[in-house]
Amino acid sequence: MKALAFIPLVALLAACDKKQELAAPPPLPVTIAKPVKREVTVYRELPATLEGVTEIQIRARVKGILEESKFKEGDWVQAGTELFVIEPEPYELAVDAAEADLESAKASRDLAQKRYERVAKAAKTRAVSEIDVEIAAAEVSQSAASVSQAVAQLDEAKINAGYTRITAPISGRLSQSLVDPGNLVGATESTLLTTIIDDSRIRAFFEVPERDMIRYLGERALEGGVERFADREMRLVLANGTIYDKFGTIDFIDNTIDPSTRTAKVRALFPNKEAKLSSGLYGLVGFPAGPDPNDPHVTSGLLVPSVAVLRDLGGDFVWIVDEQNIVRRRGVEAGASVEKPVTDENALKERETVIVKGLDGSENVIVAGLQRARDGAIVQPMPAGAKPPAKGN
């Protein structure tokens, strides 16, 4: 009887184990995607200060009362536009006086010339001595020098008179007027009146570290290296994070490395006809480079969504799903992060990370459901964009 009672108990336990096996949860779904290989430009960004292509201080070069300020502050003006008037009357009178002195010098020269001619004629008949001829010739030379001096003084007076009407030396945008009409200017120094900046093009000054300069020098040594370097399109990111919509080019690289900072000064030039940039702004100048920092000649790379790249004490890694749907950790060397190109302007912006080492492009990388991933776990992989299975199926 005891043996017969044991049989139903064994059957009951077997049924419970089977029920528990049937109740085991299915593998959790995760979204996977393969790394994408494409051409990619990575920008090495360096802080820069912007300046107009030409910046000029407008100063008073003669002494006098500032009579007029003939421009609107902040306006763009053409070269030659009259900006200020410093009382011109004293300088116009100086011109008149210099002209009179010139006429007097010319008259004295003409008189000396005629006297010399008479003395020279008389010398032929021995009516005057040789010394009288020499004195007359010297008077001609002296009067001619007086004429030259008077001409120089007249030119100087005209130049000073011209300084009383200050015009824009270049086409550009004016700053505020620093001196109001009625004030004395140029008394002890060349008074600063305003500044004018040609911001139709903008210069961006930045410092390049010594290690990058060594790489540049090596590339410059190659045939055509200078031209390839100068033709690269520089990117400008403004302080608010927006990317300037026009590219620039490098137009100056200093010929020395600053020993105190171990950097070299470099300048990039950006077009600015629409006046979207202003002198004094801060920005990040981006130098285009390849995706592999160790090989600048490589132009394409493997990219995965940036959210898929994780980091811990062991370094950068991604979760991949193998052929048995088992999650595996894969250590990688992550490069720069770039914005994913989109055709729809209204689409959400996504970022991708360049994988320099660790992947060959055949892996199934987990890009969503990362919280469910752990090494050795069995999951249900789904391609990006697929709908998860309905509950209960």
Side-chain angles (χ1 to χ4, degrees):
M1 292 295 293
K2 289 183 179 180
L4 293 177
F6 179 76
I7 293 174
L9 180 61
V10 172
L12 180 61
L13 291 174
C16 290
D17 290 341
K18 185 175 182 180
K19 184 177 181 180
Q20 289 178 356
E21 181 179 348
L22 292 175
L28 295 175
V30 294
T31 303
I32 60 170
K34 291 186 180 297
V36 177
K37 187 171 185 178
R38 62 176 172 83
E39 296 284 326
V40 59
T41 300
V42 175
Y43 288 93
R44 171 83 163 89
E45 293 184 335
L46 295 167
T49 300
L50 308 188
E51 294 181 6
V53 69
T54 306
E55 299 189 4
I56 297 177
Q57 295 181 335
I58 308 297
R59 293 181 176 271
R61 300 181 66 176
V62 291
K63 177 182 176 180
I65 299 299
L66 182 65
E67 291 188 350
E68 291 185 78
S69 179
K70 306 181 69 174
F71 65 93
K72 185 178 179 181
E73 297 171 319
D75 273 1
W76 176 276
V77 297
Q78 296 296 325
T81 302
E82 192 169 83
L83 305 177
F84 298 96
V85 177
I86 300 172
E87 56 175 336
E89 291 80 6
Y91 299 95
E92 292 172 353
L93 291 174
V95 171
D96 294 340
E99 289 176 343
D101 291 341
L102 177 59
E103 293 301 319
S104 176
K106 287 181 178 179
S108 298
R109 180 197 59 189
D110 294 343
L111 180 61
Q113 181 65 33
K114 290 177 181 179
R115 183 175 182 278
Y116 169 75
E117 291 173 356
R118 288 195 300 269
V119 171
K121 185 176 181 180
K124 292 179 180 180
T125 61
R126 304 286 182 174
V128 296
S129 65
E130 194 68 31
I131 190 65
D132 291 330
V133 177
E134 292 177 356
I135 291 173
E139 290 175 347
V140 170
S141 298
Q142 185 177 7
S143 60
S146 296
V147 170
S148 298
Q149 184 178 12
V151 169
Q153 290 174 345
L154 176 59
D155 290 342
E156 182 181 9
K158 288 181 177 179
I159 290 173
N160 289 333
Y163 289 153
T164 63
R165 298 185 180 274
I166 302 175
T167 59
I170 61 170
S171 297
R173 196 174 306 281
L174 289 162
S175 181
Q176 66 178 4
S177 179
L178 300 177
V179 180
D180 294 327
N183 286 290
L184 178 66
V185 296
T188 58
E189 61 181 8
S190 299
T191 307
L192 178 61
L193 302 177
T194 188
T195 58
I196 183 170
I197 299 176
D198 178 6
D199 57 5
S200 61
R201 292 179 296 167
I202 288 289
R203 299 178 296 183
F205 290 91
F206 55 100
E207 305 285 336
V208 175
E210 182 178 16
R211 290 187 177 183
D212 292 335
M213 283 300 300
I214 293 174
R215 182 178 298 175
Y216 157 71
L217 293 174
E219 188 172 342
R220 184 181 68 177
L222 302 175
E223 183 178 357
V226 175
E227 291 76 10
R228 289 196 302 271
F229 192 85
D231 290 341
R232 292 181 179 176
E233 294 182 326
M234 308 295 290
R235 189 179 73 175
L236 178 62
V237 181
L238 302 179
N240 63 355
T242 60
I243 299 176
Y244 185 54
D245 58 2
K246 292 180 175 59
F247 289 106
T249 55
I250 290 178
D251 72 331
F252 166 76
I253 299 176
D254 207 350
N255 58 358
T256 60
I257 303 294
D258 187 336
S260 62
T261 62
R262 309 314 307 174
T263 60
K265 181 175 289 186
V266 181
R267 183 178 68 208
L269 194 61
F270 292 85
N272 188 40
K273 290 185 177 180
E274 298 175 354
K276 292 183 178 180
L277 303 177
S278 176
S279 182
L281 287 178
Y282 167 85
L284 294 174
V285 171
F287 181 80
D292 188 347
N294 301 316
D295 189 353
H297 301 290
V298 174
T299 58
S300 61
L302 287 176
L303 297 104
V304 299
S306 294
V307 295
V309 181
L310 307 174
R311 171 179 283 271
D312 61 11
L313 294 177
D316 296 326
F317 69 96
V318 296
W319 293 116
I320 65 171
V321 179
D322 64 14
E323 296 178 354
Q324 286 76 39
N325 294 341
I326 299 175
V327 176
R328 301 297 184 191
R329 174 192 167 113
R330 177 70 61 85
V332 297
E333 181 182 336
S337 174
V338 298
E339 192 171 293
K340 182 179 180 180
V342 294
T343 55
D344 184 3
E345 296 182 354
N346 298 321
L348 293 176
K349 294 182 179 180
E350 299 180 33
R351 299 198 67 81
E352 296 177 310
T353 297
V354 177
I355 302 300
V356 179
K357 292 180 181 178
L359 299 179
D360 60 18
S362 63
E363 297 85 357
N364 293 318
V365 179
I366 298 179
V367 297
L370 295 165
Q371 70 278 10
R372 307 185 188 110
R374 66 180 187 279
D375 202 16
I378 299 176
V379 293
Q380 181 183 353
M382 297 184 302
K387 296 182 178 181
K391 292 182 178 181
N393 292 343

